[in-house]
Amino acid sequence: MITIEDLFTGAGGDASAAPFVWDPLREPDALQDVGLLDCRMCPLTGRVGLLLDMRTALQYRTGNAALLTVRGLASFEWSEEPLERELLNFAITSSTPSASRKGVRMELALFPDGLLSVAGKAAEFHLLDAEGVPETIPDYTERRLSDVRAGLPWWDSGCIVLRSATAPGT
């Protein structure tokens, strides 16, 4: 079994799976109500990975996690209204993918008040079944990451790739 980290670094080999009917790299708002758990940016390899919690997704009935990777990174922009908090569960309210001859871009609007934009030469999206993740999301209220970590898919989670999509350049 591979880990989500293996998919991000490319150490998982060929992780492609059946294609999507509702492709998040091409369909606007395909990621609506998906939770954004973590972002990893690796300057050495020019890639960014967005780790997603799919248990609340509107469009997908299978999978409890997903990884969106952008390679040939051109930009990574994050903004939010600073709030005092230990944890804040960001949910995607809108996803806007776009592609051109220059590459791909994904714009994510987040609730309660965040924006994430990432662009690069190519993108991959993998819908995953992460091992050991409970069916329900944890309660984030007045808790720390160490308190809820066991209830989340994470980079070291073993996983099975259920579906895959790629955007130009991959």
Side-chain angles (χ1 to χ4, degrees):
M1 182 173 287
I2 62 173
T3 65
I4 296 173
E5 175 81 14
D6 292 337
L7 286 173
F8 174 65
T9 62
D14 181 21
S16 61
F20 285 95
V21 172
W22 188 260
D23 185 342
L25 298 177
R26 289 170 180 75
E27 301 287 337
D29 294 332
L31 297 177
Q32 200 167 17
D33 282 352
V34 168
L36 176 64
L37 296 174
D38 198 25
C39 305
R40 262 202 196 164
M41 199 268 290
C42 181
L44 292 173
T45 60
R47 80 179 56 149
V48 69
L50 306 181
L51 180 57
L52 305 171
D53 189 335
M54 299 299 285
R55 292 175 287 182
T56 55
L58 290 182
Q59 305 300 336
Y60 307 97
R61 295 292 160 235
T62 60
N64 56 18
L67 177 66
L68 189 150
T69 304
V70 175
R71 299 179 191 285
L73 187 61
S75 69
F76 178 84
E77 299 173 44
W78 171 265
S79 67
E80 72 170 280
E81 184 65 33
L83 303 171
E84 288 200 28
R85 79 224 194 256
E86 285 297 322
L87 294 178
L88 184 60
N89 185 15
F90 280 101
I92 297 171
T93 58
S94 176
S95 60
T96 309
S98 60
S100 70
R101 61 182 175 84
K102 291 184 177 182
V104 297
R105 175 176 293 280
M106 179 64 79
E107 307 266 341
L108 301 174
L110 304 160
F111 177 83
D113 186 23
L115 295 170
L116 174 61
S117 175
V118 61
K121 295 232 179 254
E124 300 170 359
F125 184 88
H126 298 291
L127 180 63
L128 309 170
D129 184 16
E131 187 175 64
V133 176
E135 287 186 34
T136 59
I137 61 171
D139 177 8
Y140 291 96
T141 310
E142 297 184 26
R143 299 183 77 194
R144 297 174 188 258
L145 182 57
S146 59
D147 298 333
V148 299
R149 172 64 184 80
L152 299 172
W154 208 251
W155 298 100
D156 60 353
S157 297
C159 65
I160 296 169
V161 178
L162 303 173
R163 300 253 184 238
S164 292
T166 60
T170 57

